[in-house]
Amino acid sequence: MLLTRQLPLSAARDNMRRLVLIRVIALLGQLVGIVFAWIYLEAVLNYGLMLLVVLMLTLVTITSLWRLQRSWLVTDAEYFGQLLFDVVALTLLLYLSGGSTNPFISYYLVILTICAATLPWSYTWCMAGITIAAYSSLLFYYQPLQLPDQDMAVMSHGRFFNLHVLGMWLTFVISALLITYFVVKMAQAIRQQEADLAAQRETTLHDEQLL
């Protein structure tokens, strides 16, 4: 039952499109963060591996857009798989860029909220366990953000800490906007689809009674 249930067709396709759009926004944010760390902070990071993860996300996004052009049904399992891939990619990027100290770590809540708004509770609890485990692991296992010697003085005067706080604020604002707009739209699409199906059943039942 967990693997075979499918979302209502129009709601599923609309939500998949919104998920792809959210992924594009997240990709742009991640690229901006990588460029900022490279040019402004001059941080010592594994940029090659980070860009490889971004490339994988880009390929999956393109594949998802191609898949939406087909008439294939979108199941709960497929939708969950898309969200799970985002969690894995995010975890890899965070591992390579400071772990739990990276302000972008709060993006886990966006993925979890999308799951809660669109999928059954069993998937949501599973996603909650995965994101909690990922966040907890990043508290202990990660590659620290290393700055060059000339930036250590800047950090000692608190400017680096201020940048970190600013990054946390910016991530929260972006997450709040994504949750407020896209997740509400996703939930509305499912509720509207269920209302349409209920109205269709009532109409069919009424026609049968007339016959």
Side-chain angles (χ1 to χ4, degrees):
M1 184 65 178
L2 186 67
L3 299 177
T4 58
R5 179 184 179 274
Q6 67 188 36
L7 292 169
L9 182 58
S10 61
R13 298 183 71 83
D14 289 343
N15 286 341
M16 183 70 79
R17 290 191 185 95
R18 293 187 181 100
L19 179 61
V20 171
L21 179 56
I22 291 175
R23 185 180 294 149
V24 171
I25 295 173
L27 273 172
L28 293 176
Q30 290 159 358
L31 285 174
V32 170
I34 291 174
V35 172
F36 180 80
W38 179 31
I39 297 178
Y40 183 78
L41 295 180
E42 298 181 0
V44 181
L45 297 172
N46 192 337
Y47 292 104
L49 191 53
M50 293 176 69
L51 290 176
L52 179 60
V53 176
V54 171
L55 177 61
M56 291 174 56
L57 273 170
T58 303
L59 292 176
V60 171
T61 301
I62 295 173
T63 303
S64 299
L65 290 173
W66 173 83
R67 179 254 182 276
L68 286 172
Q69 303 303 317
R70 303 299 181 266
S71 59
W72 305 330
L73 299 178
V74 178
T75 63
D76 284 348
E78 178 186 359
Y79 198 84
F80 180 80
Q82 291 271 349
L83 292 172
L84 184 60
F85 181 82
D86 288 339
V87 170
V88 172
L90 176 62
T91 303
L92 288 174
L93 288 174
L94 292 174
Y95 170 80
L96 294 169
S97 56
S100 60
T101 63
N102 191 318
F104 204 67
I105 197 167
S106 60
Y107 189 74
Y108 278 129
L109 290 177
V110 176
I111 300 174
L112 181 58
T113 305
I114 292 174
C115 186
T118 56
L119 294 177
W121 68 269
S122 55
Y123 285 101
T124 304
W125 278 110
C126 184
M127 181 60 71
I130 292 173
T131 52
I132 290 174
Y135 195 134
S136 301
S137 299
L138 290 171
L139 290 172
F140 307 100
Y141 305 103
Y142 61 89
Q143 295 183 9
L145 182 66
Q146 299 180 7
L147 300 178
D149 294 339
Q150 61 267 26
D151 284 338
M152 296 305 293
V154 174
M155 184 175 64
S156 64
H157 287 87
R159 290 183 57 189
F160 182 78
F161 176 77
N162 291 336
L163 284 175
H164 178 76
V165 173
L166 179 62
M168 293 179 64
W169 173 82
L170 182 60
T171 304
F172 173 80
V173 170
I174 294 174
S175 300
L177 293 176
L178 289 175
I179 291 173
T180 301
Y181 181 75
F182 289 102
V183 175
V184 169
K185 288 291 185 180
M186 290 176 178
Q188 286 178 346
I190 293 178
R191 287 196 296 268
Q192 183 61 45
Q193 187 72 31
E194 292 175 347
D196 292 341
L197 290 175
Q200 184 179 1
R201 286 194 297 267
E202 291 180 1
T203 301
T204 302
L205 180 60
H206 180 67
D207 293 342
E208 291 176 352
Q209 290 176 345
L210 290 178
L211 290 175

